[in-house]
Amino acid sequence: MTFPQPRLQTFLYAGFAAALLGSTVFFALPFAEASTAQNGNNVTIGLSTIVRGACSISAVADPQAANIDLSTTQSNLAIATVTESCNNNGYTVSVSSENGVTKGQPALVGSALNGSMNYTVVYGGAPVNFSGGQATAFDTSATLPLTRRQVGIGFVGNPNLPSDSYVDVLTFTIAGK
């Protein structure tokens, strides 16, 4: 069984194209620009689109991040590698410390005895300055499609800390400009 082919008619109206299939379907698409040729041999259609900004961030923890020796002083102990990607004209990576919100600075806090040890954060080789548990780790006006940065921590070792499990959570956030 064969079906009759629907007729396709195209109408151009000041910035809009409309197509009528048979007599039942109608749709309109905006065109940036349309022109008709003087001799009927050429037609030009201008196209435009928008590429939306997209930023992402991910992290892979280093194995030593799960078992840090707090008795030995460290200046930049690697704890993770962060991968940033952003197609905007610039972006900011911020970091917050869960314990830093109450302590003012990042701190490893004991879960049972509430002992604590302040520490510093190093992001991509640069120290991060916290205020109220929050900080800007990296800020750029460049477009950097895929960048990896090492996260490190530093602290003065304390062999006299009470026996306990010491934890903190660092949260990294990326935002396009």
Side-chain angles (χ1 to χ4, degrees):
M1 174 180 244
T2 61
F3 294 97
Q5 293 292 328
R7 290 184 334 171
L8 176 63
Q9 296 176 336
T10 302
F11 305 94
L12 292 179
Y13 296 101
F16 289 93
L20 186 61
L21 292 173
S23 61
T24 58
V25 179
F26 178 77
F27 61 95
L29 297 173
F31 278 87
E33 182 179 321
S35 67
T36 57
Q38 296 288 344
N39 59 11
N41 291 333
N42 296 329
V43 174
T44 60
I45 300 172
L47 303 173
S48 67
T49 189
I50 296 173
V51 175
R52 305 272 184 228
C55 297
S56 66
I57 192 164
S58 62
V60 175
D62 286 356
Q64 65 256 18
N67 193 20
I68 299 170
D69 179 2
L70 298 179
S71 66
T72 306
T73 298
Q74 298 288 335
S75 61
N76 188 8
L77 176 67
I79 62 163
T81 300
V82 171
T83 302
E84 312 160 357
S85 179
C86 192
N87 68 348
N88 283 30
N89 291 327
Y91 63 93
T92 301
V93 174
S94 57
V95 59
S96 65
S97 160
E98 188 173 280
N99 294 332
V101 173
T102 57
K103 301 277 187 188
Q105 295 294 315
L108 291 161
V109 176
S111 59
L113 300 174
N114 205 25
S116 69
M117 175 184 274
N118 290 346
Y119 66 93
T120 59
V121 175
V122 179
Y123 190 74
V128 178
N129 297 314
F130 281 80
S131 175
Q134 311 258 347
T136 298
F138 183 75
D139 187 26
T140 184
S141 57
T143 300
L144 302 174
L146 187 64
T147 305
R148 289 183 177 82
R149 298 185 200 285
Q150 185 178 42
V151 179
I153 61 170
F155 53 86
V156 176
N158 183 352
N160 299 318
L161 281 171
S163 177
D164 204 343
S165 294
Y166 291 83
V167 297
D168 191 14
V169 176
L170 294 174
T171 303
F172 291 84
T173 306
I174 191 168
K177 293 182 179 183

